[in-house]
Amino acid sequence: MHGLDFSVVPPYAELLWMGVWWTVVLTVSAAVLSFFGGIFFALVVLYAPAIIAYPVRLFMWLFMGTPLLLQLFLIYFGLVQIGIDIPALGAGIIGLGLHFAVYNADVLRAGIVAVDPGQSEGARSLGFGRFQTLRYVVVPQAVRNTAPPIGNNIIALLKESSLVSVIGIAELVHAAQLAISETFRPFEFYITVAVLYYVLNLVLEAGLRQVEKKVEVSR
């Protein structure tokens, strides 16, 4: 019976660090898309005419009710059948970004509704139009009030980024699978990847805590 032998890991350090790099790129890009997409969806659901709002509600319902893995397959393998060929990295960013944009939209919608109506009335009395009131008064307050749950969604996004390995993006899990295919040592590489994800998660949590502290100070 063979024990663990982590001496097989260092020769693949460059491959694993490349996996870390693409995981960070994927997470940051998808997080930005999910944040601004969430704001857009929330505003459409709350303020757009029904002919626009209802299709967006349906889209959100579908994305909440189906697995992320299936959504990645549909974006990467499905759209090409109707002539839309999206590169793997783009498909991963879009899939992750839209998936979490829907959840951020649900959080932000509640945050927008919770903003004191007097804030909007005060902005209107100063001559702000509806769009200016939303942009400069309502949405910033909603974002500040919902920073912790949005942060939790970003942490979840980092963890779920491992799913994009199924469409060939060379992130951490994909890098580990390549190394395992050559060494036949799955435990060593999966344990190493788990440690790397844990470190990335700690760094992300520390960054989000700093953001939340700044948000609290700005209130």
Side-chain angles (χ1 to χ4, degrees):
M1 183 175 180
H2 299 289
L4 294 176
D5 180 13
F6 284 95
S7 65
V8 301
V9 175
Y12 293 89
E14 185 176 349
L15 178 64
L16 292 173
W17 283 121
M18 188 60 67
V20 170
W21 165 252
W22 285 116
T23 295
V24 171
V25 168
L26 185 69
T27 300
V28 171
S29 302
V32 171
L33 176 59
S34 72
F35 177 71
F36 289 103
I39 292 174
F40 174 76
F41 289 152
L43 291 176
V44 168
V45 167
L46 286 172
Y47 300 109
I51 194 172
I52 299 174
Y54 280 116
V56 170
R57 285 178 181 271
L58 176 62
F59 173 85
M60 291 174 62
W61 178 79
L62 288 173
F63 262 68
M64 281 185 170
T66 55
L68 173 57
L69 185 60
L70 175 61
Q71 294 162 15
L72 290 170
F73 281 149
L74 286 172
I75 292 170
Y76 186 61
F77 296 112
L79 291 180
V80 72
Q81 295 184 7
I82 58 173
I84 303 174
D85 188 4
I86 302 175
L89 180 61
I93 291 171
I94 292 169
L96 281 168
L98 290 179
H99 183 84
F100 284 94
V102 166
Y103 288 95
N104 285 341
D106 210 36
V107 171
L108 286 162
R109 181 180 56 80
I112 291 170
V113 170
V115 173
D116 185 353
Q119 299 286 331
S120 297
E121 293 171 6
R124 292 293 182 85
S125 68
L126 293 173
F128 282 31
R130 187 177 186 182
F131 176 78
Q132 289 177 311
T133 300
L134 288 171
R135 180 180 178 184
Y136 295 110
V137 179
V138 177
V139 171
Q141 290 191 56
V143 170
R144 285 196 292 268
N145 293 337
T146 57
I150 290 175
N152 290 338
N153 284 343
I154 293 174
I155 291 171
L157 190 157
L158 168 63
K159 296 173 183 176
E160 295 292 339
S161 68
S162 62
L163 289 176
V164 303
S165 63
V166 300
I167 59 174
I169 299 177
E171 47 69 68
L172 261 174
V173 171
H174 189 270
Q177 290 170 338
L178 291 176
I180 291 166
S181 69
E182 295 181 6
T183 62
F184 304 102
R185 307 290 298 191
F187 280 108
E188 287 86 346
F189 283 98
Y190 284 139
I191 290 172
T192 301
V193 166
V195 171
L196 290 172
Y197 267 114
Y198 188 72
V199 172
L200 287 173
N201 194 59
L202 289 177
V203 172
L204 180 58
E205 285 182 351
L208 290 171
R209 278 198 297 270
Q210 292 302 314
V211 171
E212 288 177 19
K213 286 180 182 178
K214 290 182 179 180
V215 166
E216 288 295 328
V217 170
S218 66
R219 285 185 178 181

